[in-house]
Amino acid sequence: MSKNYETVIGLEVHVELATKTKIFCGCTTAFGGAPNTHTCPVCTGMPGSLPVLNKKVVEYAAAVGLATNCKITQKCKFDRKNYFYPDNPQNYQISQLYLPICRDGHVDITLADGSTKQVRIHEIHMEEDAGKLVHDEYDDVSYVDYNRSGVPLIEIVSEPDMRSAEEVIAYLEKLRQTIQYLGASDCKLQEGSMRADVNLSIREVGASEFGTRTEMKNLNSFTAITHAIEGETERQIDLLEAGKEVEQQTRRWDDNNGESYPMRSKEDAHDYRYFPDPDLVPLNISDEWLDEIRSNQPEFKEEKAIRYREEFGIPDYDIGLITDSKKLADIFEEATAECGEPKKVSNWILGETMRILKEKSLDPEDITFSPANLAKLIKLVDGGTINGSVAKEVFANIFDEDVDPEAYVEEHGLKQVNDEGALKACVEKVIADNPQSVLDYKGGKVQAIGYLVGQTMKAMKGKANPGMVNQLLKEMLDK
Amino acid sequence: MANVIDDETIDYVGILAELELSDEEKEQAKGDMSRMLDYIDKLNELDTTGIEPMSHAFAVSNVMREDLVTNGDGSEATLANAPEKTDDTFIVPKTTIS
Ligand SMILES: [Zn+2]
């Protein structure tokens, strides 16, 4: 590369809001219904039907705006974005062009080297989702399901302030964390409740003008986003180096092939002929309502971290990881309230919980076990009812099926054996059965005792009190 | 008619509206559109300085509903008039954007 280039990136992030009903009708937003069961004349664009705005959508959108330092447009309205596609039964999408609910915000992101950077938010607007098309593999037809049609979305449009994939991921993580703290969405990229379109252009370092940008869609994981940014940067630099021009277009990223393809044809002009939706009256967010929304804002990561330091006295490292996720923070607080052992709860969260999440490729938001059961488990260990390794086994079942650990231990006979007589008999047998290890130990190979402890634990099906086994073995061997 | 709609414009509008117009229909549409634009020009003669644009004919705002599920399974009614359908979906010609 003969010149120095920089990548300029702006994001359009769509987030599905966690309302019970759609944005303009009383149909459920629940996942997994049979096709078209969650539909009515409004969300299928039947003539004569009238949309009525869901109040909760406004509250969530404004809450996200406040949390991202936006100005709230107290007098706002909805506009129609006109286009034809079978996933859009009205032939227009109700969105906001002229007066979006939030404008001029920013979030601060922290990068791997510890530096921080501000990413500005141009606007956040409310709109409705489209239906789902399934294309037949063999026939020239598509099947349409309108269950998702009319599900509320917010679109968060950033300024072109990001310069690398790392910054983009940090920005998305920050948005996701903030929105999850608000409970406004679960923000799952894989399931499409959070979707990011990447606008990317290349320019020479120091240039003040932007290059021609492309928009990339179909990015449903952080890995795909990173790959797409790297791939598109390379493609645009290659074009410029070859003396060619970047064409402004929408491209679809194919993460399997590691390539992007242009999506829309020339005929599909981006001419949406927006106009105010005459079916929806203007929205006036009063000062009182806005104050109410503001006063209902939750405690975010930064405030939580300060409180944890004062209230629980756990290490900053633990606090950082736990407060990264609203879900983990909730589990931590509830389990600690039940058992009064913050550090032990933290250990279970950062240890086994994180390990299982990673192993199963899950997010903290996927956790379904109740904090009360984790608290009970900690009490069982503390009270000497079960030992540490049995606790891990029980926890795996709590994680998967939210079992009650007391009942589970009872049912599976997992109680720790603290009975000295029984342990002694077992240790004696292990000593008799392993003369070589005994000789090794007596000959000065102290670590040989580890093997004997292991054999005893095995003989006791893992339920022996490990401290007592250790002590008994030492006593007998040192005799 | 002060506004004249040329062939290129009417073809473009046809593409946007997904309409295939015959030559005769095109001529008629050109005339209609010209008259509409003339009317807008007429409205533009009014001095609206300092007047906030209105987006709705009624002086009403904040018509909202609570976030409560009020609709049940609507699939039968939704699919009732579908020209083509399966048991639970509409069937449309394949239109992949590629
Ligand atoms: Zn509906």
Side-chain angles (χ1 to χ4, degrees):
Chain A
M1 193 189 312
S2 53
K3 294 173 185 153
N4 260 331
Y5 294 100
E6 74 171 350
T7 313
V8 176
I9 308 166
L11 290 195
E12 288 164 24
V13 178
H14 285 91
V15 174
E16 232 172 55
L17 297 177
T19 53
K20 293 186 190 74
T21 62
K22 294 186 178 182
I23 181 167
F24 298 120
C25 62
C27 289
T28 176
T29 54
F31 259 104
N36 293 302
T37 49
H38 304 164
T39 60
C40 74
V42 172
C43 56
T44 51
M46 295 295 177
S49 63
L50 270 182
V52 184
L53 179 60
N54 182 341
K55 197 176 166 192
K56 193 77 197 163
V57 172
V58 179
E59 291 176 342
Y60 276 147
V64 173
L66 291 172
T68 52
N69 310 293
C70 288
K71 293 191 192 96
I72 305 301
T73 315
Q74 287 177 257
K75 284 187 174 192
C76 73
K77 61 188 178 71
F78 287 92
D79 306 294
R80 292 184 180 180
K81 177 181 180 178
N82 298 279
Y83 69 94
F84 289 96
Y85 199 62
D87 65 1
N88 162 19
Q90 295 161 148
N91 295 337
Y92 57 83
Q93 178 194 32
I94 304 178
S95 180
Q96 296 190 292
L97 178 74
Y98 300 107
L99 295 168
I101 184 164
C102 314
R103 283 199 275 221
D104 300 328
H106 67 263
V107 293
D108 295 315
I109 57 170
T110 308
L111 302 168
D113 64 3
S115 64
T116 57
K117 174 172 179 163
Q118 192 168 89
V119 176
R120 290 169 301 155
I121 289 171
H122 179 73
E123 67 168 67
I124 302 176
H125 58 257
M126 301 177 275
E127 59 184 30
E128 54 181 344
D129 206 350
K132 192 177 121 194
L133 293 182
V134 177
H135 303 299
D136 194 285
E137 246 179 276
Y138 308 103
D139 284 340
D140 221 15
V141 297
S142 304
Y143 307 99
V144 197
D145 170 11
Y146 289 122
N147 281 354
R148 304 314 292 163
S149 170
V151 167
L153 301 175
I154 48 172
E155 180 174 345
I156 306 165
V157 184
S158 85
E159 296 289 351
D161 286 349
M162 288 157 277
R163 296 290 176 270
S164 67
E166 190 203 351
E167 291 182 9
V168 168
I169 302 302
Y171 169 73
L172 286 170
E173 296 264 27
K174 183 73 194 177
L175 284 185
R176 182 163 74 166
Q177 183 192 84
T178 305
I179 295 168
Q180 284 174 347
Y181 262 92
L182 286 165
S185 173
D186 57 12
C187 293
K188 290 185 180 170
L189 270 93
Q190 262 85 357
E191 290 174 18
S193 59
M194 186 180 199
R195 297 164 229 164
D197 299 337
V198 173
N199 290 305
L200 187 152
S201 64
I202 295 294
R203 66 177 173 187
E204 277 186 61
V205 172
S208 55
E209 303 275 299
F210 291 124
T212 308
R213 67 163 198 263
T214 58
E215 181 182 357
M216 263 182 307
K217 291 183 178 287
N218 192 38
L219 305 167
N220 51 19
S221 70
F222 284 162
T223 329
I225 291 169
T226 304
H227 290 163
I229 289 171
E230 285 161 0
E232 183 61 10
T233 300
E234 206 178 288
R235 191 187 71 87
Q236 291 192 15
I237 289 176
D238 286 349
L239 281 173
L240 296 178
E241 289 281 297
K244 292 180 191 155
E245 277 182 11
V246 175
E247 204 182 320
Q248 181 163 350
Q249 58 191 186
T250 306
R251 300 176 70 84
R252 183 183 177 81
W253 176 254
D254 182 340
D255 206 40
N256 293 323
N257 295 332
E259 268 184 274
S260 64
Y261 306 93
M263 260 175 76
R264 293 181 200 275
S265 64
K266 220 183 256 165
E267 217 183 46
D268 243 320
H270 281 258
D271 186 345
Y272 294 123
R273 293 147 295 139
Y274 283 92
F275 65 89
D277 192 314
D279 284 348
L280 287 157
V281 298
L283 175 61
N284 273 323
I285 305 171
S286 66
D287 292 342
E288 292 75 29
W289 192 14
L290 196 55
D291 284 344
E292 193 187 312
I293 297 169
R294 198 176 276 124
S295 66
N296 285 332
Q297 293 289 82
E299 179 188 47
F300 288 104
K301 178 184 163 83
E302 294 74 17
E303 304 145 82
K304 225 182 235 310
I306 294 169
R307 181 167 64 84
Y308 280 16
R309 207 163 290 143
E310 290 169 359
E311 207 170 303
F312 301 116
I314 54 171
D316 282 354
Y317 175 80
D318 295 32
I319 293 174
L321 287 175
I322 290 171
T323 56
D324 263 349
S325 149
K326 167 80 160 53
K327 182 79 187 184
L328 295 182
D330 285 348
I331 293 171
F332 171 76
E333 288 181 35
E334 282 176 49
T336 300
E338 298 259 347
C339 72
E341 294 284 354
K343 181 58 187 155
K344 284 175 186 164
V345 174
S346 170
N347 288 348
W348 277 105
I349 292 175
L350 301 186
E352 281 302 283
T353 308
M354 294 298 235
R355 190 188 62 74
I356 298 174
L357 287 175
K358 203 173 168 201
E359 183 184 286
K360 300 187 186 236
S361 305
L362 295 173
D363 288 326
E365 282 59 41
D366 299 318
I367 292 174
T368 51
F369 69 79
S370 53
N373 281 334
L374 172 57
K376 274 189 190 173
L377 181 72
I378 290 170
K379 284 189 194 163
L380 288 176
V381 179
D382 281 358
T385 310
I386 55 173
N387 66 32
S389 57
V390 167
K392 281 188 184 172
E393 180 194 330
V394 177
F395 181 74
N397 286 280
I398 293 178
F399 188 98
D400 287 341
E401 289 162 50
D402 199 23
V403 296
D404 177 334
E406 286 162 10
Y408 187 87
V409 164
E410 195 67 50
E411 202 179 308
H412 293 80
L414 295 172
K415 277 194 183 159
Q416 177 164 266
V417 178
N418 298 317
D419 172 5
E420 195 167 344
L423 291 175
K424 212 168 183 172
C426 185
V427 167
E428 274 165 0
K429 187 169 185 308
V430 168
I431 288 176
D433 289 350
N434 297 281
Q436 187 56 48
S437 299
V438 174
L439 276 178
D440 288 349
Y441 178 79
K442 294 200 165 171
K445 238 175 124 187
V446 187
Q447 62 271 36
I449 200 169
Y451 177 75
L452 296 169
V453 172
Q455 289 303 305
T456 313
M457 291 305 284
K458 201 174 155 190
M460 301 292 296
K461 298 200 168 68
K463 294 179 287 183
N465 180 326
M468 287 177 75
V469 170
N470 244 306
Q471 206 187 333
L472 283 168
L473 266 168
K474 275 193 185 144
E475 276 174 24
M476 287 189 216
L477 291 169
D478 293 343
K479 247 197 278 191
Chain B
M1 283 189 290
N3 288 282
V4 180
I5 306 293
D6 58 21
D7 287 335
E8 202 184 338
T9 306
I10 205 72
D11 285 340
Y12 180 61
V13 172
I15 289 169
L16 289 177
E18 296 277 335
L19 289 175
E20 277 176 39
L21 300 174
S22 67
D23 287 345
E24 199 181 322
E25 286 166 330
K26 271 183 200 169
E27 285 314 309
Q28 201 193 330
K30 277 156 105 176
D32 289 345
M33 279 177 71
S34 300
R35 276 190 295 279
M36 286 179 226
L37 291 178
D38 287 347
Y39 180 62
I40 301 293
D41 284 346
K42 183 83 195 158
L43 291 177
N44 279 340
E45 285 171 17
L46 285 170
D47 180 10
T48 54
T49 338
I51 298 173
E52 224 179 289
M54 61 194 286
S55 60
H56 205 277
F58 304 132
V60 183
S61 62
N62 292 7
V63 177
M64 281 177 272
R65 26 174 283 274
E66 297 298 322
D67 185 26
L68 296 168
V69 178
T70 50
N71 297 339
D73 179 354
S75 57
E76 209 182 302
T78 292
L79 291 161
N81 296 321
E84 268 192 274
K85 60 184 166 184
T86 64
D87 280 350
D88 52 11
T89 64
F90 289 86
I91 301 180
V92 297
K94 197 184 270 183
T95 27
T96 43
I97 301 178
S98 58

